[in-house]
Amino acid sequence: MSTPSSLATARRPGPDRSRTADDSGRGYWPTVVAVASASMMLPFSVTGAAVALPNMAAHLGSSVGAAQWMLNAFNITFAALPLAVGSLADRLGRRRVLLTGIALVGALALLVALAPSMAFADAARAVEGCGAAAVLASGAAVLAHSTSGRRRQLAFGVLGSSFGTGLAIGPLVAGTLVETAGWRSVFALVAVMSVPAWLCATRAPESRTPDRPALDLAGAVAFTAGLACLSFAFVRAGSAGWGAVSTLLPMFAAVALVALFAVVEQHRGDRAMFDVRLLRRPEFLAVVCQPFTVTLGFVILLVYLPAYLQGVAGRTALAGGLLLLPMTAPVLLLPLAAGRLAARTSVRAVLTCASALIAVAPCS
């Protein structure tokens, strides 16, 4: 789960102090642990909240349908902001943005755990999604600019495993917490997880783009607003239908804003937040499309299946988590193996096989 910003910046050498930290070994493991543990909070914040949603809605006096905005508020900001926040991280400092993101996720998760109403929880989750976007945008960049060689391969292998762990055990852990300590404990756990992640991140080396380019405000606003409109259109389509005006208007706005973003970035040239010429490279398109297919075909099931299993099938939160375990367990085991396989063969071969599995599996 990386952003175009982090993919682009990973190709450029980081400042000397990042390389020194890596070569001497100081701060390497705290940096890896910080990024991995912070990244583990992100999938758990999605899957755990989905498992807790039915009990949360009942306790706060909201219907499950209306309570879905607790998930949507997080998902919209989480999806729309990474590119803009990644640009800020390049300018202001990647460790600084990572620390800010971890603090936001932890603090807002605590507020959700203490929420007196669903409206309060919705607002807090929207801000929590901003923090999650900051962690996503800066975490991989921190690793890329503070490690090299085999240590970089190991660091990104651990990062992939942390995402897999959050996805794999998230429903089961959340179901157990809901059954034993109540839905508030799911969000309290995220707040607790943020503390060691933040402390370790303070020891990570700082890095930023050496020339400190001017902030591409127009591009950031156009892209963020475009993705926000697109996310909102998908949310409205689920309840109002694809032909509804409330769905079509944000969809058209999203297309116009993304087109405007492309024009703005081409006009800025070397000062652009995102080099649109990368879209002409098939390998870049493959890397960009891969997370989209995984999210659409897999992660989305972890968001909506818990509500179905508890509401329609009548399962408990724990039973629902156990039923999801066969689907999530491979994500826990395979990231490190995939990294080793890519080192022995090629990233292209691994991506091709993964894409084929994603395409074939739904048809089997």
Side-chain angles (χ1 to χ4, degrees):
M1 296 178 68
S2 55
T3 65
S5 175
S6 64
L7 290 170
T9 55
R11 298 186 181 90
R12 300 193 296 269
D16 291 341
R17 57 181 171 179
S18 293
R19 294 299 176 192
T20 302
D22 177 64
D23 294 340
S24 66
R26 292 176 298 177
Y28 173 78
W29 281 113
T31 300
V32 173
V33 170
V35 175
S37 54
S39 300
M40 191 185 301
M41 294 190 303
L42 305 187
F44 184 78
S45 295
V46 175
T47 59
V51 172
L53 179 63
N55 291 72
M56 183 180 182
H59 185 264
L60 296 179
S62 173
S63 67
V64 175
Q68 285 289 342
W69 274 102
M70 190 271 292
L71 303 178
N72 296 334
F74 179 94
N75 294 338
I76 289 175
T77 53
F78 186 25
L81 289 176
L83 184 59
V85 177
S87 179
L88 281 176
D90 291 341
R91 177 178 173 79
L92 301 179
R94 299 176 183 100
R95 182 186 64 179
R96 178 181 298 178
V97 172
L98 177 62
L99 286 168
T100 303
I102 294 172
L104 278 176
V105 172
L108 272 299
L110 181 60
L111 288 181
V112 176
L114 301 173
S117 66
M118 189 58 71
F120 183 93
D122 292 345
R125 286 279 291 177
V127 182
E128 186 184 357
C130 298
V135 172
L136 179 64
S138 59
V142 166
L143 289 184
H145 286 265
S146 60
T147 60
S148 61
R150 293 179 62 87
R151 283 192 162 192
R152 177 179 291 177
Q153 292 180 0
L154 175 60
F156 276 92
V158 173
L159 177 61
S161 294
S162 69
F163 279 113
T165 301
L167 283 175
I169 69 174
L172 181 59
V173 171
T176 303
L177 287 173
V178 169
E179 292 295 319
T180 58
W183 65 266
R184 296 183 188 274
S185 62
V186 175
F187 302 97
L189 177 60
V190 176
V192 171
M193 292 170 62
S194 70
V195 176
W198 192 90
L199 291 175
C200 288
T202 60
R203 297 187 58 188
E206 183 61 283
S207 64
R208 58 175 58 89
T209 302
D211 55 2
R212 301 289 296 274
L215 180 63
D216 183 7
L217 184 59
V221 171
F223 186 80
T224 302
L227 276 191
C229 288
L230 182 62
S231 300
F232 185 77
F234 278 104
V235 170
R236 290 299 303 160
S239 57
W242 288 103
V245 175
S246 59
T247 301
L248 294 176
L249 285 180
M251 185 68 73
F252 290 146
V255 173
L257 287 166
V258 172
L260 176 62
F261 168 74
V263 172
V264 169
E265 297 307 280
Q266 286 183 327
H267 179 72
R268 288 183 62 85
D270 293 337
R271 297 174 293 121
M273 177 176 62
F274 173 71
D275 187 356
V276 294
R277 292 173 297 182
L278 289 172
L279 297 175
R280 301 173 185 172
R281 300 176 58 177
E283 62 271 23
F284 180 81
L285 288 176
V287 172
V288 170
C289 291
Q290 196 78 20
F292 179 81
T293 57
V294 171
T295 302
L296 186 63
F298 177 76
V299 177
I300 194 171
L301 295 177
L302 300 180
V303 175
Y304 291 104
L305 277 179
Y308 171 81
L309 292 173
Q310 295 179 54
V312 178
R315 306 284 184 173
T316 64
L318 178 57
L322 287 171
L323 286 172
L324 293 176
L325 192 58
M327 184 174 69
T328 58
V331 186
L332 175 63
L333 303 174
L334 294 180
L336 283 176
R340 293 181 179 179
L341 183 61
R344 294 184 178 182
T345 56
S346 68
V347 175
R348 177 177 297 178
V350 173
L351 288 177
T352 300
C353 292
S355 300
L357 287 174
I358 292 172
V360 170
C363 301
S364 59

